[in-house]
Amino acid sequence: MIFDLLLAAALLWSAVQALTTPDLFRAVVLFIVFGLLMALAWARLDAPDIALAEAAIGAGLSGALLLDAVGHLRQKRRERSP
Amino acid sequence: MKALLNIAVLSLTGALGLVLAWSILDLPASAVRLPEQVTAQLDMSGVAHPVTAVLLNFRGYDTLLEIAVLLLALLGMLALPRQASGSKPRPVPASPMLQTLARLLTPLMVLVAGYVLWAGAHRPGGAFQAGAVLAGAGVLLHLAGLLPAWATPGRALRAGLATGLLVFIAVAATLMTQGTLLQYPPGWAGALILVIEASLTLSLGLILAGLYLVLADSKVQA
Amino acid sequence: MNAPLIYALTGAALFVFGVTGLMLQAHLLRKILAFNVMGSGIFLVLVGLAQRTGIPDPVPQAMVLTGIVVAIAATALALALARQLLDQSGEMRLPEEEAGKDKLDV
């Protein structure tokens, strides 16, 4: 019960941080942290199937996609301001 | 002006949150007991794991539409005009350490995907998770510089992308001639589900990896 | 108050955070993040609310499993469109949003 409350608080905190951090790279990393915490939450909810999928897709694959996008954005900015 | 707008949005969404929380706490217990119904029908589903039974038997058409949506999303991405990158140099040559690791891990990941697919019949696992592991292997290979990004998928790749949907539709159409859409004949359910799941795993792995590899191709030209 | 209910309430809060982010953030990558947070919140409500009684319910679990995979496809398509916009207009925000002082804030 205490663990669930702590996990819920951590979920909310990481979501707020991911949405408000000024640095975009940090925001994406925090979003990956959020995805991993979600996987934990699914395990607590007796949903190991979703936990597996969330860890692989929600944290792994979407993390790779978003980091790639941030890299693309930075590269674009570097080209603009030599 | 901007600050005023922020306050307005925050107070509106705050009110929305309170209403949502109140309705969650106030919601009466559901009259339909779905878990019991699933357990009662589980023996007829062809698999022993309830979530797989729901995904591929009781609500198989959801999964059918889902793989169609995934394919559509990838087609949408491929349809966007992208800068041709025929002579694109590899971004950064990855370290030999990473390349060796990727070479060692990839067969292992394929093995894990196969196991997760097989395990889905009687314990947590199944086509989705197996496909995600396969896609992870694809992303890892690309990051190690061993797998090029996709410019335009060739014929074999296109066939692989569509296999899951086509096999699923073929099974559904065959069953349709017997009566109802996706109502497996007793005794055949387990085998049919395995065939569908195996093709779904292949396609899901390719599509999910493709979501990454198509975007990775559209790097900015220097 | 049991554990699934806690997660359902957390999900409602996450949904609200996502909606707020979607409305207040101008940067498209942040809008995509907010959209994903919103989706995760909905998933938590779906499963948490169905399992209030303490019995695992495979039906919403299967729905959410489907939902996660569809969400990643939608995210990838959204990212592709946002990149297209970046390549053509040099900005990752919608034209009707007022242009920020830092054009390509990273």
Side-chain angles (χ1 to χ4, degrees), chain A:
Chain A
M1 188 68 177
I2 303 244
F3 182 77
D4 293 313
L5 284 172
L6 280 176
L7 184 55
L11 272 172
L12 295 173
W13 177 83
S14 59
V16 171
Q17 290 297 310
L19 293 179
T20 54
T21 307
D23 181 32
L24 205 50
F25 176 74
R26 279 178 72 111
V28 169
V29 172
L30 280 161
F31 181 74
I32 297 173
V33 170
F34 172 75
L36 289 172
L37 289 172
M38 279 295 288
L40 266 183
W42 292 125
R44 291 292 295 174
L45 276 168
D46 288 320
D49 291 272
I50 313 180
L52 268 174
E54 179 82 43
I57 298 176
L61 209 59
S62 68
L65 272 170
L66 289 164
L67 285 177
D68 198 51
V70 173
H72 180 82
L73 206 58
R74 286 193 167 165
Q75 197 181 350
K76 195 91 178 172
R77 185 181 60 167
R78 225 175 291 127
E79 274 166 34
R80 299 232 149 183
S81 51

Side-chain angles (χ1 to χ4, degrees), chain B residues 68-127:
Chain B
V69 166
L70 269 175
L71 196 58
L72 209 58
L74 187 69
L75 287 180
M77 288 169 68
L78 285 169
L80 286 176
R82 282 169 302 142
Q83 287 154 328
S85 56
S87 60
K88 178 176 70 92
R90 285 272 164 74
V92 194
S95 73
M97 186 74 179
L98 178 59
Q99 292 201 343
T100 313
L101 191 66
R103 283 207 172 96
L104 286 175
L105 278 181
T106 305
L108 210 60
M109 286 171 95
V110 174
L111 185 70
V112 168
Y115 169 73
V116 170
L117 168 66
W118 183 254
H122 48 90
R123 62 178 68 179

Side-chain angles (χ1 to χ4, degrees), chain A residues 1 4 7-8 15-16 19 21-24 31 42 45-47 50 53-54 57 62 68-69 73-74 76-77, chain C residues 1 3 7 10 14 17 25 27 29-30 33-34 36 40 43 51 61 65 68 72 83 86-87 90 104 106:
Chain A
M1 188 68 177
D4 293 313
L7 184 55
V16 171
L19 293 179
T21 307
D23 181 32
L24 205 50
F31 181 74
W42 292 125
L45 276 168
D46 288 320
I50 313 180
E54 179 82 43
I57 298 176
S62 68
D68 198 51
L73 206 58
R74 286 193 167 165
K76 195 91 178 172
R77 185 181 60 167
Chain C
M1 180 74 92
Y7 288 111
T10 312
L14 286 176
F17 290 171
Q25 304 274 10
H27 197 283
L29 208 56
R30 288 180 185 280
L33 284 184
N36 272 294
S40 297
F43 295 153
Q51 296 184 177
Q61 287 190 11
L65 202 52
I68 288 176
I72 176 80
R83 280 176 170 211
L86 178 72
D87 287 342
L104 286 168
V106 174

Side-chain angles (χ1 to χ4, degrees), chain C:
Chain C
M1 180 74 92
N2 55 359
L5 208 54
I6 293 176
Y7 288 111
L9 288 173
T10 312
L14 286 176
F15 175 77
V16 170
F17 290 171
V19 173
T20 315
L22 199 60
M23 287 203 268
L24 290 184
Q25 304 274 10
H27 197 283
L28 282 179
L29 208 56
R30 288 180 185 280
K31 276 193 197 285
I32 294 174
L33 284 184
F35 193 76
N36 272 294
V37 168
M38 222 171 99
S40 297
I42 294 173
F43 295 153
L44 273 182
V45 173
L46 258 177
V47 174
L49 209 48
Q51 296 184 177
R52 276 179 299 178
T53 45
I55 308 159
D57 190 343
V59 178
Q61 287 190 11
M63 305 283 101
V64 168
L65 202 52
T66 316
I68 288 176
V69 180
V70 171
I72 176 80
T75 305
L77 186 58
L79 281 174
L81 290 170
R83 280 176 170 211
Q84 199 69 33
L85 189 70
L86 178 72
D87 287 342
Q88 290 186 358
S89 73
E91 289 199 59
M92 230 191 206
R93 53 186 82 221
L94 296 174
E96 59 261 32
E97 301 273 3
E98 53 181 296
K101 49 185 180 297
D102 42 355
K103 265 201 155 185
L104 286 168
D105 70 313
V106 174

Side-chain angles (χ1 to χ4, degrees), chain B residues 13-62:
Chain B
T13 50
L16 174 70
L18 287 180
V19 170
L20 281 178
W22 176 68
S23 44
I24 283 176
L25 291 173
D26 199 47
L27 198 70
S30 165
V32 192
R33 300 220 154 271
L34 285 175
E36 277 94 335
Q37 290 186 21
V38 171
T39 319
Q41 304 283 323
L42 195 58
D43 289 339
M44 291 164 64
S45 72
V47 287
H49 183 51
V51 175
T52 310
V54 172
L55 270 177
L56 283 140
N57 196 334
F58 304 148
R59 293 194 65 106
Y61 52 89
D62 276 336

